[in-house]
């Protein structure tokens, strides 16, 4: 759903059809009702049984996509000529912890509610955050040192804190079995014996991850080993080394976060406001030299194709879980939900000028899916995200190294495991639409009365299995090295994430992955119809009481069945 904000922000044109479909308008309500009735009719005719061929699915989805021409953001291309760039990009404060007498570094993390943020200029929005109103501090953890996190939950509902990408045991992972009850506290201890990396942390309660992240709960977790400084890379936080989390949100005219109010949102929650570090299309002052951007796609479902407006090249220096062996020159980079990438860009020739980071989505995103419903107007357009205002260089400047990390070659010592990613089948979609669509049992328990959407439904699956907290789907031997064969039988692209490990991408459809994917990762985007092979060593234990997860990182898919559990012992 898009909203009419043309009067408040005249530089953001709103198509005429979109103006007629403003929130709560009679036309919008009629369109939603017509969509449900019409789509159910189409699906009834096309999907007489649960077993539907891919071609039949494609035809049915195409028909549904055609019917959605009147739905804002669906089949029309987005029209955004330029960003706002009126507010500075916030730099999250660093949380480095304090060492106690035994040498354990301790961090205090408070999950907070009851505060407001100015996500969009001129509007106050109720949000949740860690140690503040929205998002969280950038936590810095020294490699190999013992740390403890004292976590208090100030929400009126349970949550968890998942250390995404961290090599920790299952009992410390922060997955669905690590619930912290409302108003309660817990402590978690571990050491991160892994390469320096840009990781992150976020909630992970089964069935409620999507709305809790959407409400504002996310933050960076940086593992430090000093290699970047020794290589002469930019590493001064907030000066030439910037955390950049990109998210999209829908926000009502009164400032409320708008979550899963449309039937289409079950395919993945997407918004029409683009936030960087919690502010819509901000600007940031940077020095005229090499700078480093730690990019995180913190969106629930949207995939970005990142590039600079002047098409200048940049260098990818790190993937999800560590530095690459050598920089990879690019002019664009696809980043799926939960993926991270560190890039370096040379601004020596840009003093006194401006540069814009944008997503040229139309060039790539529609081709990742075979389902028209999976792409909206912004996926078919181009939109600005962040403006860099380039000033004078600092006294000490970093440079681009020729070589960086040394990445070992892994060899499997166990049988290949196979995973098949599956979309919502047509029968389930038909029953959902005919049964009332997105009715929620906890409609208004988010910040400011935000809907919590739906969760816990059996809609998306892996290996024909839905998430069941009482079922262990796979058992892995501790210390083993395995190849996981991940095939996407669905019509949507799915970002596949594995807890507790970092993996290497061996192949995509039998071919070598692109150079920027040949480092350590923990999320891989598997395109519709594609097969990816991954290899990983499993060195962290996880028992039946606190198993690891593997799942799609489109949060509305994860919340509705597309997740499995595995032990390592």
């Amino acid at each position: 759903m898009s909203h009419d904000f043309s009067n408040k922000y005249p530089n953001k044109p709103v198509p005429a059809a979109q103006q007629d479909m403003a929130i709560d308008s009679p036309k919008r309500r009629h369109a939603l009702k017509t969509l449900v009735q019409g789509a159910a009719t189409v699906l009834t005719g096309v999907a007489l049984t649960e077993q539907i061929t891919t071609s039949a699915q494609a035809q049915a989805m195409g028909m549904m996509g055609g019917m959605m021409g009147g739905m804002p953001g669906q089949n029309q291309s987005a029209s955004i000529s330029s960003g706002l760039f009126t507010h500075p990009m916030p730099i999250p404060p660093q949380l480095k912890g304090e060492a106690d007498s035994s040498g354990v570094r301790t961090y205090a993390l408070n999950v907070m509610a009851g505060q407001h943020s100015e996500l969009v200029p001129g509007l106050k929005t109720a949000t949740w955050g860690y140690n503040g109103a929205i998002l969280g501090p950038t936590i810095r953890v020294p490699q190999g040192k013992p740390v403890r996190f004292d976590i208090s939950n100030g929400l009126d509902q349970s949550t968890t804190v998942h250390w995404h990408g961290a090599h920790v045991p299952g009992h410390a992972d922060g997955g669905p079995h690590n619930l912290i009850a409302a108003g309660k506290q817990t402590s978690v201890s571990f050491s991160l014996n892994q390469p320096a990396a840009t990781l992150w942390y976020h909630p992970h309660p089964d069935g409620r991850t999507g709305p809790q992240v959407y409400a504002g709960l996310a933050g960076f977790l940086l593992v430090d080993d000093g290699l970047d400084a020794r290589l002469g890379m930019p590493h001064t936080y907030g000066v030439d080394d910037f955390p950049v989390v990109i998210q999209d949100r829908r926000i009502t005219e009164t400032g409320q976060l708008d979550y899963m109010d449309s039937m289409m949102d079950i395919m993945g929650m997407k918004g029409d406001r683009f936030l960087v570090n919690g502010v819509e299309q901000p600007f940031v002052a940077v020095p005229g030299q090499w700078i480093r951007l730690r990019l995180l796609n913190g969106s629930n479902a949207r995939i970005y194709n990142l590039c600079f407006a002047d098409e200048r090249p940049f260098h990818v220096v790190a993937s999800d879980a560590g530095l690459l062996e050598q920089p990879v020159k690019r002019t664009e980079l696809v980043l799926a939900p939960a993926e991270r990438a560190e890039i370096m860009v040379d601004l020596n020739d840009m003093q006194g000028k401006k540069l814009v980071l944008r997503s040229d989505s139309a060039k790539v995103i529609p081709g990742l899916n075979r389902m028209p419903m999976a792409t909206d107007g912004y996926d078919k357009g181009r939109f600005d995200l962040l403006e860099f205002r380039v000033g004078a260089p600092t006294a000490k400047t970093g440079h681009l190294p020729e070589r960086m990390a040394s990445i070992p070659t892994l060899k499997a010592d166990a049988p290949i495991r196979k995973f098949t990613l599956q979309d919502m089948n047509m029968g389930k979609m038909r029953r959902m639409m005919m049964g009332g669509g997105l009715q929620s049992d906890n409609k208004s328990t988010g910040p400011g009365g935000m809907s919590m959407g739906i969760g816990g439904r059996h809609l998306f699956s892996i290996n024909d299995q839905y998430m069941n907290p009482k079922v262990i789907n796979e058992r892995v031997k501790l210390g083993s090295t395995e190849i996981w064969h991940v095939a996407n039988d669905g019509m949507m692209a799915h970002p596949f994430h594995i807890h507790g490990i970092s993996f290497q991408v061996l192949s995509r459809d039998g071919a070598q992955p692109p150079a920027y994917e040949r480092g350590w990762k923990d999320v891989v985007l598997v395109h519709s119809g594609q097969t990816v092979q991954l290899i990983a060593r499993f060195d962290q234990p996880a028992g039946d009481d606190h198993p690891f997860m593997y799942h799609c990182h489109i949060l509305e898919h994860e919340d509705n069945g597309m997740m499995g559990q595995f032990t390592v012992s």
Side-chain angles (χ1 to χ4, degrees), residues 38 125 160 170 203 222-223 230 237 257 302 314 343 353 390 424 455 539 553 567:
T125 299
T160 79
L222 307 186
V223 184
R230 294 194 298 273
Y237 185 81
L257 286 169
R302 191 177 297 282
F314 55 87
I343 68 171
K353 300 178 182 179
V390 186
M424 189 191 323
D539 285 329
H553 222 288
T567 60

Side-chain angles (χ1 to χ4, degrees), residues 341-384:
E342 295 181 30
I343 68 171
M344 286 180 57
V345 58
D346 185 0
L347 301 181
N348 278 288
D349 63 342
M350 289 292 292
Q351 293 183 45
K353 300 178 182 179
K354 298 177 181 180
L355 180 67
V356 171
L357 178 71
R358 63 169 43 146
S359 179
D360 189 357
S361 296
K363 190 174 181 179
V364 175
I365 308 307
L368 301 178
N369 303 287
R370 292 181 291 169
M371 180 189 292
M373 293 165 61
T375 56
D376 66 4
Y378 294 95
D379 292 329
K380 300 171 185 177
R382 174 189 297 171
F383 47 89
D384 293 344

Side-chain angles (χ1 to χ4, degrees), residues 1-3 18 28 71-76 78 210-211 214 246-252 256-275 297-305 335-337 359 361-362 364-381 383 438 491-495 525 552-557:
M1 180 182 65
S2 298
H3 307 305
Q18 220 165 297
R28 181 183 180 278
M71 287 281 290
Q74 283 300 322
N75 285 331
Q76 54 194 4
Y214 197 83
I246 302 167
Q247 299 171 304
D248 58 333
R249 295 291 184 267
R250 288 203 304 247
I251 302 172
T252 70
Q256 185 179 54
L257 286 169
D258 191 5
Y259 185 73
M260 290 191 81
D261 76 333
S262 163
M263 182 185 67
M264 289 305 306
D265 296 336
I266 194 64
M267 297 300 174
M269 183 66 205
K270 295 179 179 179
D272 56 3
R273 304 281 196 165
F274 299 98
L275 313 180
N297 182 348
S299 299
N300 284 38
R302 191 177 297 282
I303 304 170
Y304 300 92
N305 181 39
L335 210 62
S359 179
S361 296
V364 175
I365 308 307
L368 301 178
N369 303 287
R370 292 181 291 169
M371 180 189 292
M373 293 165 61
T375 56
D376 66 4
Y378 294 95
D379 292 329
K380 300 171 185 177
F383 47 89
L438 297 177
M491 302 187 70
M492 296 181 64
H494 292 284
L525 181 63
C552 174
H553 222 288
I554 293 175
L555 300 184
E556 290 67 40
H557 296 184

Side-chain angles (χ1 to χ4, degrees), residues 490-513:
M491 302 187 70
M492 296 181 64
H494 292 284
F496 186 73
H497 172 50
I498 307 173
H499 286 212
I501 55 100
S502 301
F503 57 71
Q504 297 173 14
V505 180
L506 292 178
S507 65
R508 287 184 174 273
D509 286 337
Q512 190 176 30

Side-chain angles (χ1 to χ4, degrees), residues 391-409:
T394 61
K396 185 177 180 180
T397 63
H399 65 270
L400 182 71
E402 293 184 4
R403 298 197 64 83
M404 296 175 296
S406 177
I407 299 175
T409 299

Side-chain angles (χ1 to χ4, degrees), residues 177-392:
H177 296 276
N178 300 109
L179 285 175
I180 309 168
K184 299 299 182 180
Q185 299 81 35
T186 191
S187 293
V188 180
S189 298
F190 51 78
S191 297
L192 294 181
N193 295 295
Q194 62 188 99
T198 298
L199 312 181
W200 65 305
Y201 58 99
H202 61 80
H204 210 307
D206 185 25
R208 291 177 292 120
T209 299
Q212 289 197 0
V213 171
Y214 197 83
L217 294 174
F220 284 91
L221 172 64
L222 307 186
V223 184
D224 291 325
D225 66 0
L227 178 59
D228 54 353
R230 294 194 298 273
L231 291 171
M233 298 173 65
H235 62 276
T236 304
Y237 185 81
V239 177
D240 60 5
D241 181 359
F242 298 91
V244 178
V245 55
I246 302 167
Q247 299 171 304
D248 58 333
R249 295 291 184 267
R250 288 203 304 247
I251 302 172
T252 70
E253 287 84 351
T254 60
Q256 185 179 54
L257 286 169
D258 191 5
Y259 185 73
M260 290 191 81
D261 76 333
S262 163
M263 182 185 67
M264 289 305 306
D265 296 336
I266 194 64
M267 297 300 174
M269 183 66 205
K270 295 179 179 179
D272 56 3
R273 304 281 196 165
F274 299 98
L275 313 180
V276 177
N277 292 1
V279 171
E280 184 179 26
Q281 295 173 313
F283 67 87
V284 60
V286 297
Q289 61 195 58
W290 282 99
I291 65 169
R292 176 183 181 181
L293 305 178
R294 300 176 185 257
L295 302 171
L296 161 62
N297 182 348
S299 299
N300 284 38
R302 191 177 297 282
I303 304 170
Y304 300 92
N305 181 39
L306 301 175
C307 61
F308 289 102
D310 65 355
E311 300 183 347
R312 71 173 49 230
F314 55 87
H315 290 80
V316 182
V317 295
S319 50
D320 295 328
L323 294 173
L324 301 176
E325 289 193 318
Q326 56 191 44
V328 178
K329 190 175 183 179
R330 301 283 299 172
T331 56
E332 59 186 23
L333 181 68
V334 172
L335 210 62
E339 279 193 304
R340 287 90 63 211
E342 295 181 30
I343 68 171
M344 286 180 57
V345 58
D346 185 0
L347 301 181
N348 278 288
D349 63 342
M350 289 292 292
Q351 293 183 45
K353 300 178 182 179
K354 298 177 181 180
L355 180 67
V356 171
L357 178 71
R358 63 169 43 146
S359 179
D360 189 357
S361 296
K363 190 174 181 179
V364 175
I365 308 307
L368 301 178
N369 303 287
R370 292 181 291 169
M371 180 189 292
M373 293 165 61
T375 56
D376 66 4
Y378 294 95
D379 292 329
K380 300 171 185 177
R382 174 189 297 171
F383 47 89
D384 293 344
L385 297 168
L386 173 64
E387 181 183 74
F388 300 90
R389 299 180 180 179
V390 186

